[in-house]
């Protein structure tokens, strides 16, 4: 009797998720980050072209490759949930990319621009970490085990990219930028 009460309670608190409002939100957010990642495959090369620090160029180049893999991983997520990969303009990422462009235009080439690129790139990483963390949690709630594994892998890559950017900034770029005369 006790087991059936738990089962009934679990069913009440976890109704079928395939057509739920949470699934609709999950798909909408998935379309948003799909657009964002695809946009980053175009924006990161511009950051690389504007960077002067070898370590920053290397970090951005590595993350560009990861970003291409993340786009593919998102296609797999769409496939797993039975949806066609579709992008919806991510206004937040669009704004972050525009801000990065403005920073690169307004900062003098060298350590100052590198510091600006790192700042812009870390804002992007933090947005992605928030999004993938949320999507992973939605996937867990929706019992999408294979999807959760894919999203968790991307979340770890985003965290590692953020840590690498911090390391590059702390290790040299910020110190060099601080020592430049105005």
């Amino acid at each position: 009797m006790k087991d059936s009460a738990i089962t009934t309670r679990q069913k009440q608190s976890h109704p079928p998720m395939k057509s739920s409002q949470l699934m609709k939100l999950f798909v909408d957010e998935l379309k948003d980050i799909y657009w964002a990642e695809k946009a980053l495959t175009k924006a990161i090369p511009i950051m690389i072209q504007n960077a002067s620090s070898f370590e920053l160029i290397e970090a951005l180049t590595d993350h560009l490759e990861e970003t291409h893999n993340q786009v593919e991983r998102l296609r797999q997520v769409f496939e797993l949930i039975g949806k066609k990969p579709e992008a919806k303009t991510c206004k937040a990422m669009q704004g972050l990319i525009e801000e990065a462009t403005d920073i690169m235009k307004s900062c003098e080439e060298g350590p100052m621009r590198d510091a600006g690129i790192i700042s812009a790139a870390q804002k992007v990483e933090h947005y992605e970490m928030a999004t993938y963390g949320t999507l992973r949690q939605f996937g867990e709630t929706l019992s999408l085990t294979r999807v959760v594994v894919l999203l968790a892998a991307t979340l770890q890559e985003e965290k590692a990219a953020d840590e690498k950017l911090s390391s590059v900034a702390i290790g040299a770029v910020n110190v060099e930028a601080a020592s430049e005369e105005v």
Side-chain angles (χ1 to χ4, degrees), residues 70-88:
Q70 291 165 357
V71 169
E72 183 54 39
R73 210 176 281 139
L74 286 169
R75 287 185 185 122
Q76 292 173 22
V77 170
F78 277 108
E79 185 179 313
L80 286 168
I81 62 171
K83 302 284 183 187
K84 179 183 167 212
E86 185 181 336
K88 176 183 82 174

Side-chain angles (χ1 to χ4, degrees), residues 22-171:
L22 185 61
M23 181 57 114
K24 182 182 180 312
L25 181 59
F26 177 82
V27 172
D28 285 346
E29 292 297 310
L30 199 58
K31 291 176 183 179
D32 191 76
I33 196 66
Y34 185 59
W35 184 94
E37 294 290 12
K38 289 173 69 173
L40 286 171
T41 65
K42 297 176 183 112
I44 295 172
I46 296 167
M47 292 179 180
I48 292 168
Q49 290 171 358
N50 280 276
S52 61
S53 159
F54 173 77
E55 293 84 2
L56 178 55
I57 292 168
E58 184 178 57
L60 291 170
T61 301
D62 290 347
H63 196 57
L64 177 59
E65 185 177 327
E66 285 179 340
T67 302
H68 285 291
N69 293 335
Q70 291 165 357
V71 169
E72 183 54 39
R73 210 176 281 139
L74 286 169
R75 287 185 185 122
Q76 292 173 22
V77 170
F78 277 108
E79 185 179 313
L80 286 168
I81 62 171
K83 302 284 183 187
K84 179 183 167 212
E86 185 181 336
K88 176 183 82 174
T89 302
C90 176
K91 292 179 183 174
M93 187 60 71
Q94 191 173 43
L96 290 169
I97 291 170
E98 287 173 15
E99 186 175 326
T101 302
D102 291 346
I103 288 170
M104 288 183 287
K105 287 178 182 175
S106 67
C107 290
E108 187 176 314
E109 186 177 350
M112 189 62 203
R113 185 179 293 163
D114 289 346
I117 291 169
I118 291 170
S119 170
Q122 286 194 294
K123 288 177 185 180
V124 166
E125 294 307 324
H126 285 245
Y127 177 78
E128 289 177 305
M129 288 186 297
T131 301
Y132 282 109
T134 299
L135 283 171
R136 184 193 63 198
Q137 187 57 52
F138 286 173
E140 287 177 9
T141 302
L142 294 166
S143 301
L144 302 170
T145 308
R146 292 173 62 198
V147 166
V148 169
V149 170
L150 294 171
L151 296 171
T154 298
L155 179 58
Q156 289 308 309
E157 289 172 353
E158 301 299 2
K159 288 178 180 179
D162 181 57
E163 289 174 16
K164 178 67 175 173
L165 289 166
S166 288
S167 176
V168 171
I170 294 165

